[in-house]
């Protein structure tokens, strides 16, 4: 395993160069300050906004993006991925000169052909594995931070050397840089965000829900699992010492329990799910999906964020943070030090928490939400009534004009599986037509939702939010999230039709 350090990089290559930092956000500010402190001539290109004002306050000469790109010999392109294409084509490309160096902090837009740089410039990657504030803090501390470096296009024959010079200038080669292609950097980054992160998050939220359901004090549960800062401290030690050796910092009881019980969590299907996610990334399917989502104004993202913020756990965390404000734990976290509460402290905190906090716990244990708890009470369906309700519902959906309008230009099938009722049905929206039946679809559906019959009834009567139920584990989801959330746009129509079908079956007795 080869890492590249200060000795492998030549900062003097930048002595007669002007570096233009395009975008003065978190990374832009940190890298601009570090380069200037390394003796490099830096100008900033930014639109007229508070970030430009910040750059001026920091003592930089601030130009328009187009002017900065034209004056610079080395262009650090540090605007957000979603803004890159328009800025790149409109302001950067027309002003690049033969032999310039174009530096990216992410491989995403190049790897997935979202940008096409001119052939007569060098195109390199310097991607810090650290958030912007960390890039600055570690430079000031003298420790540096790791980065990925790579070359996409070497017009001058010196692209690699220039990439390493920039990496040294921002302080990364103090800690070590690893060479990767643009595609490898993008794929690893997206895999962490889309596969490892969500899998870890699902384990964490499942643990929270289970322990609360089993009656453990809510503050103690959240503190024990992650809010004390012990987990982040342990992760830091894993990075420093390795997964196995960091276990020596824990008691032998902890070591034995972790190692003997760890085998139970070799979950079947996990590797396959991760490989499926990696396949979507490598093929460019995710990049195409995200590009289409942005063109529509990112409605799926906004809907998912709103659903996540409506979960009881979101408010539980907020209330516990407020309750801990001013405690040693909060002060230690703010100072970047480890803070740990003993179990008795966690229990005492739970007793002092307001009633609202405990009410939220009740919602989480019940896996509901405030709106669901206040929902109207409907007459329950008698045994055997669900299947005729679904048959009538599907028949109404097939003829509904609002759903047919929604189906224009679409092609999505949602497959509903009721685990406790041995029932399944599907609805297909395709090219202005709606079809469906109370049976398995002939071909695998783009979206599959597994749930108990009571959850389906609550969802289609409007008493349960589908996205929130999926996030809390009451609905098992498989397939295309964006398509699933698209169907959420006609949830009110589905509710209207299901209620009509339900009412009709109950009235007929």
């Amino acid at each position: 395993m080869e890492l590249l350090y200060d000795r492998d990089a030549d900062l003097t290559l930048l002595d007669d160069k002007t570096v233009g930092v395009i975008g003065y956000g978190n990374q832009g500010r940190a890298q601009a300050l570090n380069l200037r402190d390394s003796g490099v001539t830096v100008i900033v290109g930014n639109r007229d906004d508070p970030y430009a004002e910040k750059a001026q306050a920091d003592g930089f000469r601030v130009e328009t993006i187009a002017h900065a790109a034209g004056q610079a010999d080395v262009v650090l392109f540090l605007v957000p991925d979603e803004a890159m294409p328009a800025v790149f084509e409109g302001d950067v490309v027309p002003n690049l000169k033969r032999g310039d160096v174009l530096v990216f902090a992410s491989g995403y837009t190049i790897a997935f052909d979202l940008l096409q740089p001119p052939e007569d410039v060098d195109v390199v990657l310097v991607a810090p594995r650290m958030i912007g504030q960390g890039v600055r803090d570690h430079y000031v501390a003298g420790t540096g931070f790791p980065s990925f470096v790579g070359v996409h296009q070497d017009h001058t024959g010196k692209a690699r050397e220039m990439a390493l010079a920039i990496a040294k200038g921002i302080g990364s080669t103090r800690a070590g840089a690893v060479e990767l292609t643009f595609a490898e950097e993008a794929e690893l980054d997206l895999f962490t965000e889309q596969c490892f992160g969500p899998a870890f998050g699902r384990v964490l939220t499942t643990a929270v829900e289970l322990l609360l359901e089993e009656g453990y004090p809510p503050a103690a549960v959240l503190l024990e699992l992650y809010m004390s800062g012990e987990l982040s401290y342990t992760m830091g030690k894993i990075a420093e010492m390795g997964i196995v050796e960091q276990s020596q910092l824990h008691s032998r009881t902890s070591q034995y329990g972790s190692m003997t019980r760890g085998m139970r969590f070799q979950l079947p299907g996990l590797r396959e799910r991760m490989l499926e996610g990696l396949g979507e990334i490598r093929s460019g399917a995710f990049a195409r999906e995200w590009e289409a989502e942005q063109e529509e104004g990112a409605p799926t993202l906004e809907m998912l964020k709103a659903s996540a913020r409506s979960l009881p756990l979101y408010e539980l965390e907020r209330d516990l943070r407020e309750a801990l404000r001013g405690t040693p734990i909060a002060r230690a976290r703010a100072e970047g030090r480890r803070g740990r509460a003993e179990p008795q402290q966690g229990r005492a905190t739970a007793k002092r928490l307001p009633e609202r906090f405990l009410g939220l716990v009740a919602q989480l244990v019940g896996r509901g939400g405030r709106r669901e708890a206040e929902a109207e009470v409907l007459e329950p369906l008698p045994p055997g009534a669900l299947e005729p309700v679904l048959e009538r519902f599907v028949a109404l959906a097939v003829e509904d004009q609002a759903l047919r309008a929604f189906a224009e230009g679409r092609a999505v099938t949602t497959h509903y599986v009721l685990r406790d009722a041995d029932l399944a049905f599907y609805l297909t929206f395709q090219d202005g037509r709606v079809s469906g039946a109370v049976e398995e679809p002939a071909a695998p559906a783009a979206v599959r939702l597994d749930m108990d019959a009571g959850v389906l009834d609550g969802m289609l009567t409007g008493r349960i939010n589908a996205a929130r139920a999926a996030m809390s584990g009451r609905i098992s989801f498989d397939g295309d999230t964006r398509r699933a959330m698209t169907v959420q746009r006609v949830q009110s129509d589905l509710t209207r039709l299901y209620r009509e079908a339900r009412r009709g079956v109950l009235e007929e007795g």
Side-chain angles (χ1 to χ4, degrees):
M1 182 183 299
E2 182 181 6
L3 270 72
L4 302 167
Y5 295 100
D6 279 353
R7 63 177 177 270
D8 302 303
D10 183 4
L11 191 60
T12 64
L13 291 175
L14 300 176
D15 283 351
D16 60 345
K17 307 291 185 186
T18 296
V19 174
V21 175
I22 308 301
Y24 203 70
N26 291 331
Q27 282 290 344
R29 180 174 189 266
Q31 294 193 37
L33 290 170
N34 292 2
L35 285 166
R36 185 175 67 184
D37 288 354
S38 294
V40 178
T41 300
V42 178
I43 61 174
V44 171
N46 206 92
R47 63 185 182 181
D48 188 14
D49 63 13
Y51 293 102
E53 295 173 6
K54 180 64 175 174
Q56 290 172 333
D58 286 337
F60 287 104
R61 192 175 100 221
V62 180
E63 307 283 356
T64 65
I65 292 174
H67 196 210
Q71 289 199 327
D73 306 295
V74 180
V75 176
L76 271 64
F77 197 35
L78 301 177
V79 301
D81 286 337
E82 57 268 24
M84 277 192 178
V87 175
F88 189 70
E89 295 299 330
D91 296 313
V92 176
V93 170
N95 295 289
L96 291 174
K97 307 175 295 296
R98 180 185 295 273
D100 280 353
V101 182
L102 187 57
V103 185
F104 290 86
S106 163
Y108 183 84
T109 51
I110 296 296
F112 297 112
D113 298 321
L114 301 177
L115 302 181
Q116 298 296 330
E119 295 181 355
D120 58 356
V121 300
D122 291 345
V123 181
V124 304
L125 175 74
V126 180
R129 309 330 289 164
M130 184 67 63
I131 61 173
Q133 187 59 52
V135 166
R136 182 59 179 164
D137 290 347
H138 285 279
Y139 179 93
V140 172
T143 55
F145 49 88
S147 282
F148 293 152
V149 297
V151 175
H152 173 71
Q153 191 167 282
D154 187 6
H155 173 74
T156 65
K158 295 183 178 180
R160 181 176 182 273
E161 289 82 354
M162 290 300 292
L164 288 172
I166 291 293
K168 185 172 184 176
I170 64 174
S172 179
T173 49
R174 298 174 186 175
V178 176
E179 287 190 88
L180 286 181
T181 66
F182 275 65
E184 288 170 336
E185 190 280 335
E187 290 163 9
L188 285 172
D189 191 43
L190 293 175
F191 179 85
T192 301
E193 295 168 353
Q194 298 176 27
C195 300
F196 172 74
F200 177 78
R202 185 66 257 166
V203 169
L204 181 60
T205 54
T206 298
V208 171
E209 291 168 1
L210 183 147
L211 290 171
L212 292 178
E213 288 170 1
E214 292 297 314
Y216 289 91
V221 168
L222 270 60
L223 286 168
E224 179 63 31
L225 290 176
Y226 63 102
M227 287 190 69
S228 70
E230 182 176 16
L231 177 61
S232 61
Y233 179 85
T234 299
M235 294 300 289
K237 286 300 179 182
I238 288 174
E240 178 185 330
M241 303 172 64
I243 294 174
V244 175
E245 290 307 315
Q246 71 80 32
S247 68
Q248 302 302 315
L249 302 177
H250 303 268
S251 71
R252 286 174 61 79
T253 304
S254 170
Q255 295 174 42
Y256 177 80
S258 296
M259 292 183 173
T260 57
R261 269 56 180 175
M263 296 298 291
R264 297 176 180 175
F265 298 95
Q266 300 282 351
L267 303 177
L270 179 60
R271 188 179 188 279
E272 288 71 19
R273 284 295 178 94
M274 287 189 166
L275 192 58
E276 178 184 352
L278 184 58
E280 291 176 348
I281 293 166
R282 284 173 167 168
S283 69
F286 170 78
R288 292 189 294 272
E289 177 185 325
W290 175 226
E291 190 173 17
E293 169 78 3
Q294 292 177 86
E295 288 174 356
E296 293 185 13
T300 305
L301 176 61
E302 295 308 315
M303 196 180 303
L304 288 169
K305 286 163 66 175
S307 295
R309 289 183 177 126
S310 72
L311 290 170
L313 180 58
Y314 180 82
E315 296 190 44
L316 275 174
E317 292 177 323
R318 185 174 60 191
D319 283 1
L320 181 55
R321 285 196 302 271
E322 183 63 29
L324 291 172
R325 194 179 299 275
T327 66
I329 291 172
R331 289 195 297 272
R333 186 181 294 116
E335 296 166 5
R337 299 196 305 267
R338 181 189 183 206
R340 180 176 181 176
E342 295 302 319
Q344 182 58 44
Q345 292 176 311
R347 285 192 289 271
T349 302
K351 291 178 182 177
R352 293 195 302 271
L353 292 177
E355 291 183 5
R356 176 173 173 274
F357 183 92
L358 300 178
L360 289 166
V361 174
Q363 291 176 26
L364 184 57
V365 169
R367 295 190 166 191
R370 192 166 47 252
R371 294 188 189 122
E372 293 171 17
E374 296 171 355
E376 66 180 298
V377 177
L378 295 178
E379 180 182 351
L381 289 174
L386 182 58
E387 186 168 2
V389 169
L390 292 176
E391 289 173 346
R392 185 174 295 199
F393 166 63
V394 170
L396 290 171
V398 167
E399 301 297 330
D400 189 72
Q401 292 303 312
L403 294 185
R404 286 180 174 179
F406 169 76
E408 289 288 350
R410 302 186 191 278
V412 57
T413 296
T414 302
H415 178 197
Y416 301 84
V417 178
L418 308 182
R419 295 176 293 222
D420 60 342
D422 195 26
L423 281 174
F425 71 100
Y426 70 92
L427 289 174
T428 297
F429 304 94
Q430 185 165 7
D431 298 328
R433 295 179 60 252
V434 182
S435 58
V438 184
E439 60 184 32
E440 302 280 345
V447 177
R448 173 172 167 151
L449 304 173
D450 289 56
M451 68 197 84
D452 290 341
V455 175
L456 176 82
D457 189 62
M459 181 179 74
L460 290 180
T461 54
R463 294 173 295 136
I464 291 177
N465 178 282
R468 195 155 58 234
M471 289 182 175
S472 64
R474 286 184 290 171
I475 297 177
S476 298
F477 169 83
D478 190 19
D480 188 323
T481 304
R482 186 163 182 264
R483 291 190 184 184
M485 297 306 293
T486 297
V487 175
Q488 279 285 96
R489 299 180 196 179
V490 289
Q491 188 64 36
S492 61
D493 293 300
L494 296 175
T495 296
R496 168 176 55 83
L497 297 173
Y498 181 83
R499 279 177 167 263
E500 181 180 340
R502 193 182 194 276
R503 186 167 53 249
V505 170
L506 288 175
E507 288 174 353
E508 291 172 3

